[in-house]
Amino acid sequence: MFGTNTFYIEKDEAVQILISVIAISLALAISQGGFGLFTSFQGLKALTILLALFTLTVGTGFILHEMAHKLVAIQYGAYARFQMWTQGLLLMLALSFLGFVFAAPGAVYIYSQNISRKENGIISVAGPVTNIVLAFVFMALAVFAPVYTSNTNIWFIGFYVNSFLAFFNMLPIFPLDGSKVLAWNAVVWVAVTVVAGYMTFFLR
Ligand SMILES: [Zn+2]
């Protein structure tokens, strides 16, 4: 698979992506509903709805973010694959019962002898930029094709989640994407971070 430039998702990689999406959606659902989701039929019903909503909105944001890194890395001749972080997933689920979501499910690992600082920056910025684009897709859906569940336009969840994913990942803290973007180009880092920050904190 090295340097073939073809986009290929391995079977166990797909399984790990799927587990990560379910775990993040479950953690978000638990952070909203707590233990109550598991102690009654009504709770289980609410859990099912929350899981479906988060899988739809967070799932797409998470998968396309990671696949954007992978796609660009492969264009630079690298071998890249998603690797889940089991301890991170378990920590995330445990913390969700306290109402807090610490999303550290895993990352795309890049294997290459010669990736430049610029290439690494472009690979890194592809993830958050994907979330910004997705946020606007969800915004358009919210406006033109609203779907409501208990007074919430579900597409707005997709907008908020993707805006937040873009902003969070642009934080200049290693190993987050932002640290590699800043190391490459400060202007790009400021531009993407300001847009993501504006969307996250002002467009609500
Ligand atoms: Zn990323």
Side-chain angles (χ1 to χ4, degrees):
M1 271 324 133
F2 274 87
T4 56
N5 281 38
T6 26
F7 189 84
Y8 179 80
I9 297 173
E10 283 148 79
K11 209 172 181 180
D12 66 316
E13 183 184 11
V15 170
Q16 294 192 12
I17 291 170
L18 197 66
I19 293 173
S20 302
V21 168
I22 294 168
I24 297 175
S25 302
L26 189 59
L28 283 162
I30 294 170
S31 75
Q32 302 294 306
F35 279 108
L37 292 175
F38 302 94
T39 52
S40 70
F41 179 69
Q42 258 337 75
L44 287 176
K45 222 173 111 184
L47 175 66
T48 310
I49 293 169
L50 285 172
L51 264 181
L53 285 179
F54 284 128
T55 303
L56 184 72
T57 55
V58 184
T60 46
F62 167 75
I63 292 174
L64 294 179
H65 174 115
E66 298 302 335
M67 290 306 102
H69 288 319
K70 177 167 168 142
L71 193 64
V72 179
I74 288 170
Q75 297 314 306
Y76 290 132
Y79 169 75
R81 60 157 291 159
F82 179 79
Q83 200 84 48
M84 78 176 183
W85 181 37
T86 310
Q87 291 94 322
L89 286 175
L90 293 174
L91 179 69
M92 176 174 72
L93 286 172
L95 289 175
S96 69
F97 282 99
L98 305 175
F100 177 70
V101 177
F102 169 73
V108 167
Y109 286 75
I110 293 156
Y111 304 90
S112 173
Q113 260 75 42
N114 45 6
I115 285 281
S116 69
R117 183 173 284 203
K118 179 182 175 182
E119 288 169 338
N120 203 21
I122 295 172
I123 291 167
S124 300
V125 84
V129 167
T130 300
N131 289 121
I132 290 174
V133 172
L134 266 175
F136 282 112
V137 171
F138 278 114
M139 174 72 104
L141 283 170
V143 174
F144 298 112
V147 177
Y148 286 92
T149 176
S150 44
N151 286 328
T152 304
N153 188 335
I154 64 165
W155 304 127
F156 272 125
I157 300 173
F159 175 80
Y160 297 144
V161 163
N162 277 285
S163 300
F164 172 75
L165 280 177
F167 180 76
F168 177 79
N169 281 291
M170 284 307 289
L171 294 176
I173 304 163
F174 189 82
L176 294 179
D177 298 329
S179 64
K180 291 160 244 172
V181 178
L182 186 58
W184 158 50
N185 189 317
V187 176
V188 173
W189 181 79
V190 169
V192 177
T193 307
V194 165
V195 170
Y198 172 73
M199 292 164 67
T200 306
F201 300 108
F202 295 99
L203 288 187
R204 346 200 84 220

